[in-house]
């Protein structure tokens, strides 16, 4: 029995026409004639039995059904193009993982470790896009997601399997210059951590997505800090890291996200008192048996996370 699937040519003409709301511009993009594009769209409408465009005196405009269908078709065509390119580039070998990831964790923790994946599994390619919120896998091209959130947040993510990788512990970090001026200490000990009460007198860098971070940290160490909510706010850990390394103040950051700065001496641990954050890092995949490439990537990722703890 033949499947009720339109031709890719008709879908390509419809998607371009929907994006431009113009047969003429769609024809120019696809190197076809305007009449050819129009015929393909009309044939698609006859195939699905639904009007996708309204014909107006000035051209065409999408119907509500056409707008919804255009969004889905665009995703299908992008997925088909991506999968075809992957097949061509790998010549049928190995596989790809399309990963959605929170930005700082991806750039500062995952990407420096990807050469290890390449040596262990040279046929696997990982594509990464930024995604900070939960989504429905059926509506995207993503195979998996690296997500930072609370157990409640991942528990409310429908249709997925969740694998906890690591907790998000934060510690106070700052530049050596800021720490050297924080308290009077013996010669050669200027960069060694200070007591928690000393930090209460230093400029504090805040994270806008966790406005009570410093307040929670000072409470955990039993220090009264009236200015715990004061200080400039930055959205991302990467922004906090840059601000701290330039001497603007002390920031609460997971050490795994500033490994490079700590190794180069641009940042130092200001006080060796970690705070267990509310959030953890998870690998989230849709329900079902994963593709071989995703299975290998998941196993490798768990190995890397285990080395972190």
């Amino acid at each position: 029995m033949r499947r009720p699937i339109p031709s890719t040519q008709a879908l390509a003409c419809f998607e371009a026409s929907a994006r431009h709301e113009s047969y003429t511009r769609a024809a120019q993009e696809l190197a076809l004639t305007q009449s050819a594009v129009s015929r393909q769209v009309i044939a698609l409408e006859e195939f699905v039995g639904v009007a996708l465009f309204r014909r107006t005196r000035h051209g065409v405009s999408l119907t509500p059904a056409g707008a919804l269908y255009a969004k889905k078709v665009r995703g299908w065509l992008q997925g088909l193009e991506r999968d075809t390119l992957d097949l061509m580039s790998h010549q049928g070998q190995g596989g790809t993982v399309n990963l959605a990831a929170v930005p700082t964790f991806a750039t500062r923790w995952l990407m420096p470790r990807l050469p290890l994946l390449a040596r262990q599994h040279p046929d696997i390619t990982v594509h990464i896009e930024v995604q900070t919120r939960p989504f429905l896998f059926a509506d995207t091209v993503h195979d998996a997601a690296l997500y930072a959130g609370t157990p409640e947040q991942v528990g409310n993510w429908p249709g997925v399997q969740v694998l906890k990788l690591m907790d998000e512990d934060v510690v106070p970090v700052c530049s050596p210059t800021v720490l050297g001026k924080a308290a009077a200490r013996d010669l050669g000990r200027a960069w060694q951590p200070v007591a928690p009460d000393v930090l209460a007198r230093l400029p504090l860098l805040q994270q806008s997505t966790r406005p009570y971070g410093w307040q929670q940290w000072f409470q955990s160490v039993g220090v009264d800090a009236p200015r715990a909510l004061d200080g400039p706010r930055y959205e991302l850990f990467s922004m906090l890291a840059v601000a701290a390394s330039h001497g603007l103040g002390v920031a609460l950051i997971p050490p795994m996200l500033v490994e490079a700065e700590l190794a180069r001496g641009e940042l130092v641990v200001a006080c060796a008192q970690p705070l267990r954050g509310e959030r953890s890092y998870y690998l989230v995949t849709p329900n079902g048996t994963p593709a071989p490439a995703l299975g290998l990537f998941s196993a490798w990722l768990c190995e890397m996370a285990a080395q972190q703890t």
Side-chain angles (χ1 to χ4, degrees):
M1 178 179 176
R2 182 184 176 188
R3 292 182 176 180
I5 300 175
S7 72
T8 54
Q9 178 79 333
L11 293 174
C13 288
F14 166 67
E15 190 279 329
S17 300
R19 189 161 18 90
H20 297 296
E21 287 202 311
S22 167
Y23 290 161
T24 301
R25 293 177 65 186
Q28 293 171 347
E29 178 181 311
L30 299 173
L32 297 172
T33 65
Q34 180 183 7
S35 60
V37 170
S38 177
R39 285 195 301 271
Q40 290 288 342
V41 173
I42 292 172
L44 179 61
E45 290 180 316
E46 292 175 349
F47 184 89
V48 299
V50 177
L52 303 174
F53 286 102
R54 298 188 188 93
R55 278 68 180 176
T56 69
R57 292 169 54 188
H58 304 290
V60 293
S61 62
L62 285 165
T63 64
L68 180 62
Y69 191 52
K71 182 179 179 180
K72 294 182 178 296
V73 168
R74 187 168 301 117
W76 297 335
L77 292 176
Q78 289 173 346
L80 180 61
E81 180 183 27
R82 181 201 70 234
D83 294 341
T84 302
L85 288 172
D86 287 340
L87 180 66
M88 293 167 62
S89 63
H90 289 87
Q91 298 182 347
Q93 302 298 316
T96 61
V97 175
N98 291 282
L99 184 67
V102 286
T104 305
F105 187 73
T107 56
R108 288 177 168 260
W109 187 86
L110 176 62
M111 294 186 71
R113 290 166 171 79
L114 285 180
L116 301 176
L117 176 68
R119 288 198 290 269
Q120 190 171 339
H121 301 290
D123 293 333
I124 294 179
T125 300
V126 180
H127 303 307
I128 302 175
E129 293 186 10
V130 171
Q131 181 68 262
T132 59
R133 299 175 183 273
F135 55 87
L136 296 177
F137 279 95
D139 294 339
T140 72
V141 299
H142 303 313
D143 301 312
L146 279 178
Y147 178 68
T150 65
E152 292 75 20
Q153 288 172 327
V154 294
N156 291 328
W157 196 332
V160 300
Q161 303 175 81
V162 176
L163 181 64
K164 183 178 177 180
L165 298 174
M166 64 190 79
D167 292 313
E168 188 181 77
D169 296 345
V170 296
V171 295
V173 297
C174 65
S175 72
T177 302
V178 168
L179 189 62
K181 297 177 181 178
R185 281 165 291 173
D186 295 337
L187 188 66
R189 300 171 62 87
W191 290 5
Q192 292 195 356
V194 297
D197 62 295
V198 175
L199 297 190
R201 302 191 295 269
L202 296 179
L204 303 178
L205 305 178
Q206 309 285 346
Q207 188 168 14
S208 57
T209 55
R210 305 167 204 202
Y212 302 105
W214 273 114
Q215 189 176 70
Q216 293 169 349
W217 186 84
F218 280 116
Q219 288 174 352
S220 72
V221 295
V223 171
D224 182 30
R227 297 174 47 248
L229 300 178
D230 294 349
R233 301 190 181 279
Y234 305 95
E235 182 177 4
L236 302 176
F237 278 129
S238 57
M239 300 169 72
L240 282 171
V242 173
S245 65
H246 281 81
L248 294 181
V250 190
L252 284 172
I253 304 178
M256 64 182 174
L257 299 185
V258 287
E259 291 173 331
E261 287 88 346
L262 291 171
R264 293 192 298 263
E266 297 169 2
L267 289 175
V268 293
V269 175
C271 181
Q273 295 283 348
L275 173 68
R276 174 61 51 86
E278 297 177 350
R279 307 199 313 176
S280 300
Y281 292 94
Y282 300 90
L283 177 66
V284 183
T285 56
N287 283 330
T289 303
L294 178 56
L296 293 172
F297 174 76
S298 299
W300 172 83
L301 194 63
C302 289
E303 291 178 11
M304 295 296 102
Q307 293 176 14
Q308 191 70 47
T309 56

